[in-house]
Amino acid sequence: MKNNNSYKLICFDLDGTLVDDTIYIWETLHDGFLTDPIKRKQACFDYFSGKISYKEWFEHDLVLLSEAGATLSSINKLLSSLSVMKGAKETLSALRTQNKKVAVVSGSIDLVVSHLFSDFEFDHLLINRIYFDKAGNIAGGLHTPYDIEKKADGLLKLCQEEQVLPSQAVFIGDNENDLWIAKQAGLSIAFNCKSEKLSDLCDVTIAQKDLQSILPYIL
Ligand SMILES: [Mg+2]
């Protein structure tokens, strides 16, 4: 951990970090639309046991959601139950003022960003994307190659694009899926943390649920 102004790229997890009232958006969606619990659990098991790829898991989730009646408008209605994390807007604005590059590296969904952060332009968004047809029905999607352990590759890709070293990158996250990217960043911050493994691994753990608490470590 450095104690100077050399951090150039600030990467955020989304669910539970920039966004409150969800732990994982996929769970929020499945719970909200009452998708088939057996098929949902089976797909999760198949992914973590290596039987299916992340892409297949993602596409299977879209089919389950579509079958359960999820559309653009009903998903957006569900997303209205989420809120922006306390202090998130102020934090993003402060980082922008200091000319930091600001990114999201997340296994969440692009709609969550457009729903809650339409007034902020992230420099990079590495996230899953869902497409809708003109009637608002799910018409497919594009999975992120940078979830779970591969979030770390996402950080390295952004470092390359921005021509900064991983030691000049900061990562802020809240849960087990952030372990790998936290290891890769020059400064790792556990925020609103649900994982002892993550808080043990991170350089800093923030106890207060106000994202502005991260700023003194970065600026
Ligand atoms: Mg999270």
Side-chain angles (χ1 to χ4, degrees):
M1 178 170 52
K2 293 182 218 166
N3 189 22
N4 59 29
N5 198 18
S6 62
Y7 298 120
K8 311 276 188 207
L9 171 67
I10 318 301
C11 298
F12 288 91
D13 168 57
L14 190 69
D15 300 344
T17 303
L18 285 172
V19 174
D20 203 2
D21 304 314
T22 184
I23 296 177
Y24 292 114
I25 192 63
W26 290 102
E27 281 185 14
T28 302
L29 289 175
H30 282 296
D31 291 345
F33 286 102
L34 301 172
T35 60
D36 186 321
I38 294 168
K39 285 185 184 171
R40 171 186 164 189
K41 270 191 195 150
Q42 184 66 47
C44 183
F45 177 81
D46 287 349
Y47 172 71
F48 283 104
S49 59
K51 281 188 192 155
I52 60 171
S53 66
Y54 186 86
K55 177 176 187 279
E56 288 170 313
W57 187 24
F58 167 76
E59 287 171 354
H60 186 266
D61 268 358
L62 293 189
V63 170
L64 288 187
L65 286 167
S66 197
E67 281 173 358
T71 61
L72 178 59
S73 62
S74 58
I75 292 174
N76 270 325
K77 196 174 162 195
L78 191 74
L79 295 184
S80 299
S81 66
L82 310 184
S83 53
V84 172
M85 183 59 67
K86 185 177 183 213
K89 297 261 169 153
E90 295 84 347
T91 301
L92 294 173
S93 165
L95 294 171
R96 175 58 24 92
T97 304
Q98 296 293 318
N99 294 317
K100 305 298 182 190
K101 295 291 177 184
V102 184
V104 168
V105 182
S106 167
S108 184
I109 298 163
D110 57 346
L111 267 184
V112 179
V113 177
S114 53
H115 194 84
L116 291 170
F117 293 95
S118 58
D119 52 349
F120 185 82
E121 199 170 329
F122 289 94
D123 296 292
H124 302 275
L125 268 182
L126 302 183
I127 200 162
N128 290 302
R129 293 168 198 277
I130 302 181
Y131 303 138
F132 299 89
D133 64 19
K134 280 183 186 166
N137 298 308
I138 294 175
L142 184 61
H143 70 289
T144 178
Y146 306 111
D147 197 5
I148 318 174
E149 67 267 36
K150 291 190 178 144
K151 277 191 165 195
D153 295 343
L155 182 132
L156 293 177
K157 168 195 154 73
L158 297 182
C159 285
Q160 228 169 19
E161 282 182 22
E162 292 294 346
Q163 300 193 313
V164 303
L165 297 167
S167 60
Q168 296 173 306
V170 179
F171 175 73
I172 305 102
D174 73 317
N175 219 336
E176 300 268 310
N177 58 331
D178 297 320
L179 290 169
W180 295 266
I181 188 171
K183 274 184 209 159
Q184 195 62 250
L187 172 67
S188 51
I189 303 178
F191 173 80
N192 190 27
C193 189
K194 293 98 181 166
S195 158
E196 207 175 309
K197 277 187 197 165
L198 184 67
S199 60
D200 286 349
L201 183 139
C202 281
D203 299 306
V204 175
T205 296
I206 304 283
Q208 198 190 358
K209 202 172 168 183
D210 182 338
L211 205 54
Q212 290 174 97
S213 308
I214 70 169
L215 289 172
Y217 298 96
I218 300 173
L219 300 178

